[in-house]
């Protein structure tokens, strides 16, 4: 048996207002007067005060990205070309992602694609990346995905939704400023935080788990409860820590049925990961009875309008495609059922779960 | 206000039996046939089965170290010279510390002194180290000090007990194999684990604390309780995680009165850090009332023979020296009393606390 030797983000700043230290942090990367950086920023910030706080030097690039859709490989490749065209022949010395999970994943993906040729679709999978990425920094303005801590960047490609999973994917630096996640629209705040909550429920109950991941997962779950049930006065800080620790807990654990089904919802119906998880989780009482009860309490407490009956009237083709996507994730189902998962996870079974959504 | 941009150990393996992966992990560092590594191992392992499991290649050095005394700067310098003499003119490509807090701190210190000239006493302090260390790996066989996660290496020098505190001090790799901490003598297991417990009590109650350190500290404390109060069946794994998370919580927190007094006990009476903390903590009801009650329950439950009356019959000179050492740690006292600590922490006050031990 071999245990994963996992890569952790080696530098972090945590604190309310720490975004103000970004220029100083990037200074270490700028070795010559021509060195430049690219800020990959979610375009929801285009009209917000954060825009004017970005420490943009004359030679730097500010790249607004859209998180309307989940990141696609074609979009990554297009953005990478735009970055390369900004100063032809000279790569940026740092790629700084500012936003939610999509912006962070796009920043990671661009940093990787600047040094690895051939387009992002060819690197979807585990440890296919050959060369170290350009230095990259993650600055969440939305918390819960764990993208700040993970070794993947989830991408929808021509034939699959799968990350570029590698040690080089991991950020070199995080700036965790809880001030930045205040003021997120309520639904989005809820769906994104539930990504963390659900992922902890799935992994703590899974067959893949050791004490490292259990300790991180349990604390992340406690923090989610302080945020979404107890309405703690430090809830922004606590959600930020929940997301980080939830992301760390992934080292030796795995998500389960909910994430598998949610991947199908994203791939076929374009649901964002967070809301997709919530829709799927709500139909999974038989898997996570206590978690689903607590989840519904939180939905009620925060007056969240969770979409229902979303698979009614779908074409058979789409349903089949969704079932196929969900079933193509053996590690997730194995985490639920153990090695004989294939006996349990039949197409009919998956269809019946989707029909409840 | 500026927040610390702190350095985290960038790679970790966690798992029962993961020590078996050490050779493979070191393979990445060996670039040429002459590349060699040094294993810095606590000599308590000299007659134990672990000795034969060390993946020693022909050109490697096995350096047994004594943890009878707390690490001294003179000892670090002597060991560094021995390492340099082993293959003159060619530094090792990795320094691997195997043991408790002393072995880990000595490995960090040797890795630093191989690349920084002038002797370790000249680097006792904050950020005095100029050059990156040789790659270094931490493998605890005793858990609780947090030395595996910290950016310091505590050393007793000619004029002070103070660490070489720097980003370069942080290990490059950890191997956290809970199998290795089974079978530690009970008293040592207790005193070392209490280092973690006490440090969490001090930091969670301190004036220096943010949510990052609170989350880590709270979880470390929960894990200590599972180990020392609930006698959990996974207690080796849990203690290992408690130590790691306790070490991480130091990022934005500080220890307090107990560690300050314990430093004095070590400096003058040669008490090891773990037992020194326990002796001091037992006299600190006025500071940590609930913690001290719980601590005494654990002492009783595990039938630990805590030394008492240790300052009776001390010379006045020694007592004065001990008081001076304890008072020379402003950040620790500030964490207890806030910025006006000097009004509270008088020599008489400190003496009265020592007299209770």
């Amino acid at each position: 048996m071999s245990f994963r030797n996992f890569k952790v983000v080696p530098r972090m700043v945590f604190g309310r207002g720490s975004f103000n230290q970004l220029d100083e942090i990037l200074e270490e990367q700028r070795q010559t007067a021509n060195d430049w950086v690219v800020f990959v920023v979610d375009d929801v910030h285009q009209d917000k005060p954060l825009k004017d706080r970005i420490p943009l030097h004359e030679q730097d690039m500010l790249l607004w990205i859209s998180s309307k859709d989940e990141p696609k490989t074609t979009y990554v490749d297009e953005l990478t070309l735009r970055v390369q065209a900004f100063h032809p022949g000279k790569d940026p010395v740092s790629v700084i992602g500012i936003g939610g999970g999509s912006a962070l994943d796009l920043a990671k993906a661009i940093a990787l694609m600047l040094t690895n040729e051939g387009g992002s679709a060819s690197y979807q999978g585990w440890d296919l990346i050959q060369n170290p990425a350009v230095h990259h920094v993650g600055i969440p303005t939305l918390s819960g995905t764990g993208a700040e801590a993970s070794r993947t960047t989830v991408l929808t490609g021509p034939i699959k939704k799968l990350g570029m999973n590698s040690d080089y994917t991991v950020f070199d630096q995080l700036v965790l400023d809880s001030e930045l996640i205040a003021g997120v629209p309520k639904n989005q705040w809820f769906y994104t935080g539930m990504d963390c909550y659900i992922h902890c429920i799935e992994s703590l109950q899974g067959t893949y788990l050791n004490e490292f991941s259990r300790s991180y997962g349990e604390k992340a779950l406690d923090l989610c409860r302080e945020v979404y049930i107890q309405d703690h006065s430090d809830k922004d800080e606590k959600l930020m820590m929940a997301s980080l620790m939830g992301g760390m807990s992934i080292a030796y654990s795995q998500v389960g049925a909910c994430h598998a089904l949610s991947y199908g919802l994203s791939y076929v119906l374009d649901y964002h990961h967070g809301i997709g998880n919530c829709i799927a989780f709500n139909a999974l009482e038989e898997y996570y009875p206590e978690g689903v009860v607590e989840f519904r309490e939180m939905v009620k407490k925060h007056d969240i309008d969770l979409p229902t009956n979303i698979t009614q009237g779908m074409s058979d083709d789409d349903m089949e495609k969704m079932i196929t996507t969900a079933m193509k994730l053996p590690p997730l189902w194995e985490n639920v059922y153990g090695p004989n998962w294939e006996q349990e996870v039949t197409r009919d079974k998956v269809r019946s779960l989707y029909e409840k959504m």
Side-chain angles (χ1 to χ4, degrees), chain A:
Chain A
M1 171 142 191
S2 174
F3 301 91
R4 182 187 294 169
N5 188 8
F6 74 99
K7 178 78 192 295
V8 181
V9 178
R11 297 194 85 95
M12 311 188 189
V13 184
F14 183 99
R16 201 159 259 272
S18 56
F19 186 78
N20 295 334
Q21 292 169 234
L22 181 57
D23 197 31
E24 191 187 322
I25 288 166
L26 296 175
E27 211 47 60
E28 279 179 45
Q29 304 303 318
R30 299 182 194 266
Q31 301 290 322
T32 75
N34 292 330
D35 282 351
W36 63 288
V37 306
V38 52
F39 297 92
V40 176
V41 191
D42 192 314
D43 62 13
V44 298
H45 292 291
Q46 238 165 343
D47 308 313
K48 291 195 185 161
L50 185 64
K51 181 187 170 185
D52 300 317
R53 295 176 57 204
I54 296 171
L56 193 75
H57 291 209
E58 208 184 330
Q59 71 272 33
D60 295 341
M61 180 179 193
L62 178 51
L63 184 65
W64 295 107
I65 60 94
S66 164
S67 59
K68 205 165 59 63
D69 300 318
E70 296 268 291
K72 292 189 168 52
T73 52
T74 47
Y75 192 40
V76 168
D77 297 342
E78 176 206 322
L79 293 170
T80 305
L81 287 172
R82 282 171 58 193
V83 171
Q84 286 169 328
F86 195 75
H87 286 297
K90 180 162 173 55
D91 280 345
V93 294
S94 187
V95 178
I96 303 103
I98 303 176
S102 295
L104 299 187
D105 275 358
L106 284 169
K108 292 187 207 175
I110 293 168
L112 288 165
M113 288 306 98
L114 287 168
T115 56
N116 288 276
E117 293 190 356
S120 51
S122 57
Y123 297 104
Q124 285 181 282
W126 277 267
D127 301 307
L128 302 174
I129 296 285
Q130 299 296 312
N131 303 313
V134 168
H135 180 268
H136 49 302
V137 181
I139 308 181
T141 65
L142 188 64
S143 270
T145 65
E148 63 276 32
S150 79
R151 80 189 290 277
T152 193
T153 160
V154 182
L155 297 177
T156 305
I159 49 166
K160 54 195 168 190
K161 184 180 176 198
L162 186 60
M164 296 193 285
N165 207 310
S166 87
D167 282 349
Y168 300 128
T169 309
V170 178
F171 282 115
D172 297 294
Q173 167 84 54
L174 295 179
V175 177
L176 300 170
D177 180 351
S178 48
E179 221 169 63
L180 305 182
I181 67 166
V184 171
K186 191 182 69 178
N187 275 350
Q188 200 175 11
W189 167 77
F190 185 82
Y191 294 137
T192 313
M194 285 303 111
D195 189 5
C196 180
Y197 175 85
I198 291 169
H199 135 207
C200 291
I201 295 282
E202 287 178 295
S203 61
L204 288 170
Q205 197 177 309
T207 62
Y208 290 175
L209 189 70
N210 69 8
E211 191 54 43
F212 183 96
S213 289
R214 183 188 299 280
S215 299
Y216 273 102
E218 284 174 350
K219 188 63 192 177
L221 198 56
D222 286 350
L223 289 162
C224 285
R225 289 178 177 137
E226 289 189 85
V227 174
Y228 290 99
I229 297 174
Q230 295 164 33
D231 257 333
H232 196 284
S233 58
D234 292 333
K235 62 174 185 278
D236 293 337
E237 280 80 0
K238 285 186 186 286
L239 184 56
M240 198 153 243
M241 281 308 297
S243 181
L244 178 70
M245 292 181 125
M248 293 285 288
S249 83
I250 275 293
Y252 299 106
S253 70
Q254 185 51 274
V255 287
C258 181
H259 271 74
L261 295 166
S262 167
Y263 268 40
L265 294 177
S266 294
Y267 195 64
V268 177
L269 296 176
D270 277 337
Y271 278 106
H272 254 250
H273 185 65
I275 189 171
N277 279 340
C278 287
I279 293 169
F281 195 64
N282 199 33
L284 292 175
E285 267 168 305
E286 67 174 281
Y287 291 87
Y288 312 110
E290 291 164 26
V292 173
V293 167
E294 193 172 58
F295 168 75
R296 287 181 186 153
E297 275 169 31
M298 295 187 281
V299 168
K300 200 172 157 203
K301 179 178 167 69
H302 295 288
D303 199 16
I304 302 297
D305 223 3
L306 198 63
T308 47
N309 300 327
I310 60 158
T311 56
Q312 270 183 6
M314 269 183 87
S315 74
D316 254 9
D317 260 18
D318 279 354
M319 178 57 96
E320 291 299 326
K321 206 164 137 193
M322 208 154 74
I323 294 169
T324 303
T325 306
M327 290 179 69
K328 255 195 205 151
L329 295 155
L332 279 60
W333 293 110
E334 192 173 324
N335 189 36
V336 178
Y337 288 105
N340 298 322
W341 67 273
E342 284 176 295
Q343 287 161 27
E344 308 282 343
V345 188
T346 60
R347 296 190 73 85
D348 282 350
K349 174 72 190 173
V350 175
R351 176 189 299 271
S352 76
L353 291 169
Y354 275 130
E355 282 171 354
K356 286 168 70 183
M357 295 178 195

